[in-house]
Coordinates of all heavy atoms in Angstrom, one line a residue:
A1033 N 21.2 1.3 3.9 CA 19.9 0.5 3.8 C 18.7 1.5 4.0 O 17.7 1.4 3.2 CB 19.9 -0.6 4.8
T1034 N 18.8 2.4 4.9 CA 17.7 3.3 5.2 C 17.5 4.3 4.0 O 16.4 4.4 3.5 CB 18.0 4.2 6.4 OG1 18.2 3.3 7.5 CG2 16.9 5.2 6.7
F1035 N 18.6 4.9 3.5 CA 18.4 5.8 2.3 C 18.1 5.0 1.0 O 17.5 5.6 0.2 CB 19.7 6.7 2.2 CG 19.8 7.7 3.2 CD1 20.9 7.7 4.1 CD2 18.8 8.6 3.5 CE1 21.0 8.6 5.1 CE2 18.9 9.6 4.5 CZ 20.0 9.6 5.3
G1036 N 18.6 3.8 0.9 CA 18.2 3.0 -0.2 C 16.7 2.7 -0.3 O 16.2 2.6 -1.4
E1037 N 16.1 2.6 0.8 CA 14.6 2.4 0.8 C 13.9 3.7 0.8 O 12.8 3.7 0.2 CB 14.2 1.6 2.1 CG 14.8 0.2 2.1 CD 14.3 -0.6 1.0 OE1 13.1 -0.5 0.6 OE2 15.2 -1.4 0.4
L1038 N 14.4 4.8 1.3 CA 13.7 6.0 1.3 C 13.7 6.7 0.0 O 12.7 7.4 -0.4 CB 14.3 7.0 2.4 CG 13.9 6.7 3.8 CD1 14.6 7.7 4.7 CD2 12.4 6.9 4.0
H1039 N 14.7 6.6 -0.8 CA 14.8 7.3 -2.1 C 13.7 6.9 -3.0 O 13.1 7.7 -3.6 CB 16.2 7.0 -2.7 CG 16.4 7.8 -3.9 ND1 16.6 7.2 -5.1 CD2 16.5 9.1 -4.1 CE1 16.8 8.1 -6.1 NE2 16.7 9.3 -5.5
P1040 N 13.5 5.6 -3.3 CA 12.3 5.2 -4.1 C 11.0 5.8 -3.6 O 10.1 6.2 -4.4 CB 12.3 3.7 -4.2 CG 13.7 3.3 -3.8 CD 14.2 4.4 -2.9
A1041 N 10.8 5.7 -2.3 CA 9.5 6.2 -1.7 C 9.4 7.7 -2.0 O 8.3 8.2 -2.4 CB 9.5 5.9 -0.2
C1042 N 10.5 8.5 -1.8 CA 10.5 9.9 -2.1 C 10.2 10.2 -3.6 O 9.6 11.1 -4.0 CB 11.8 10.5 -1.7 SG 12.0 10.6 0.1
D1043 N 10.8 9.3 -4.5 CA 10.5 9.5 -5.9 C 9.0 9.4 -6.2 O 8.6 10.1 -7.1 CB 11.3 8.4 -6.7 CG 12.7 8.8 -6.9 OD1 13.1 10.0 -6.7 OD2 13.5 7.9 -7.4
H1044 N 8.3 8.5 -5.5 CA 6.9 8.3 -5.9 C 6.0 9.2 -5.1 O 4.9 9.6 -5.6 CB 6.5 6.9 -5.5 CG 7.1 5.9 -6.5 ND1 6.7 5.7 -7.8 CD2 8.2 5.0 -6.3 CE1 7.5 4.8 -8.4 NE2 8.3 4.4 -7.5
W1045 N 6.3 9.6 -3.9 CA 5.4 10.4 -3.1 C 5.7 11.8 -2.9 O 4.9 12.7 -2.7 CB 5.3 9.7 -1.7 CG 4.7 8.4 -1.8 CD1 5.3 7.2 -1.7 CD2 3.3 8.0 -2.0 NE1 4.5 6.1 -1.9 CE2 3.2 6.6 -2.1 CE3 2.1 8.8 -2.2 CZ2 2.0 6.0 -2.3 CZ3 1.0 8.1 -2.4 CH2 0.9 6.7 -2.5
V1046 N 7.0 12.2 -3.0 CA 7.4 13.6 -2.7 C 7.7 14.4 -4.0 O 7.2 15.5 -4.1 CB 8.6 13.6 -1.8 CG1 9.1 15.0 -1.5 CG2 8.3 12.9 -0.5
Q1047 N 8.4 13.7 -4.9 CA 8.8 14.4 -6.1 C 7.6 14.6 -7.0 O 6.8 13.7 -7.2 CB 9.8 13.6 -6.8 CG 10.3 14.1 -8.1 CD 11.3 13.2 -8.8 OE1 12.4 13.7 -9.0 NE2 11.0 12.0 -9.1
G1048 N 7.4 15.8 -7.6 CA 6.3 16.0 -8.5 C 6.6 15.4 -9.9 O 7.8 15.2 -10.3
P1049 N 5.6 15.2 -10.7 CA 5.8 14.7 -12.0 C 6.5 15.6 -13.0 O 7.3 15.1 -13.8 CB 4.3 14.4 -12.6 CG 3.5 15.3 -11.7 CD 4.2 15.5 -10.4
K1050 N 6.4 16.9 -12.8 CA 7.2 17.8 -13.6 C 8.6 17.7 -13.4 O 9.5 17.7 -14.3 CB 6.7 19.3 -13.4 CG 5.3 19.5 -13.9 CD 4.9 21.0 -13.7 CE 3.5 21.2 -14.1 NZ 3.0 22.6 -13.8
S1051 N 9.0 17.7 -12.1 CA 10.4 17.5 -11.7 C 11.0 16.2 -12.2 O 12.1 16.2 -12.7 CB 10.5 17.6 -10.2 OG 11.9 17.5 -9.8
A1052 N 10.2 15.2 -12.1 CA 10.7 13.8 -12.6 C 11.0 13.8 -14.1 O 12.0 13.3 -14.5 CB 9.6 12.8 -12.2
S1053 N 10.1 14.4 -14.8 CA 10.3 14.4 -16.3 C 11.4 15.4 -16.8 O 12.0 15.2 -17.8 CB 9.0 14.7 -17.0 OG 8.5 16.0 -16.7
R1054 N 11.6 16.4 -16.0 CA 12.6 17.4 -16.4 C 14.0 17.1 -16.0 O 14.9 17.7 -16.5 CB 12.2 18.8 -15.9 CG 10.9 19.3 -16.5 CD 10.5 20.7 -15.9 NE 9.2 21.1 -16.4 CZ 8.5 22.0 -15.9 NH1 8.8 22.6 -14.8 NH2 7.3 22.3 -16.4
K1055 N 14.2 16.1 -15.1 CA 15.5 15.8 -14.7 C 16.4 15.3 -15.9 O 17.6 15.4 -15.8 CB 15.5 14.7 -13.6 CG 15.0 15.2 -12.3 CD 15.3 14.2 -11.2 CE 14.6 12.9 -11.4 NZ 14.7 11.9 -10.3
R1056 N 15.8 14.8 -16.9 CA 16.6 14.2 -18.0 C 16.9 15.2 -19.1 O 17.5 14.9 -20.1 CB 15.8 13.1 -18.6 CG 15.6 11.9 -17.7 CD 14.9 10.8 -18.3 NE 14.4 9.9 -17.3 CZ 13.2 9.7 -17.0 NH1 12.2 10.3 -17.7 NH2 12.8 8.8 -16.1
L1057 N 16.4 16.5 -19.0 CA 16.6 17.4 -20.1 C 18.0 17.9 -20.2 O 18.7 18.1 -19.2 CB 15.7 18.6 -19.8 CG 14.2 18.4 -19.9 CD1 13.4 19.7 -19.6 CD2 13.8 17.9 -21.2

C-alpha cells in the first residue's frame, strides 16, 4: 500500500520529463 501510493507521487514530482519520455524508447 505504501509503495503503491509513493510510486505515482514520485512519477510526478521526482522523475524528470526527459526520463519519463525516454523510458519507452
Side-chain angles (χ1 to χ4, degrees):
T1034 301
F1035 289 120
E1037 294 301 319
L1038 282 176
H1039 186 246
C1042 289
D1043 278 347
H1044 291 287
W1045 295 103
V1046 178
Q1047 176 180 243
K1050 290 179 184 178
S1051 180
S1053 65
R1054 292 177 185 162
K1055 286 192 300 186
R1056 298 182 194 111
L1057 294 178

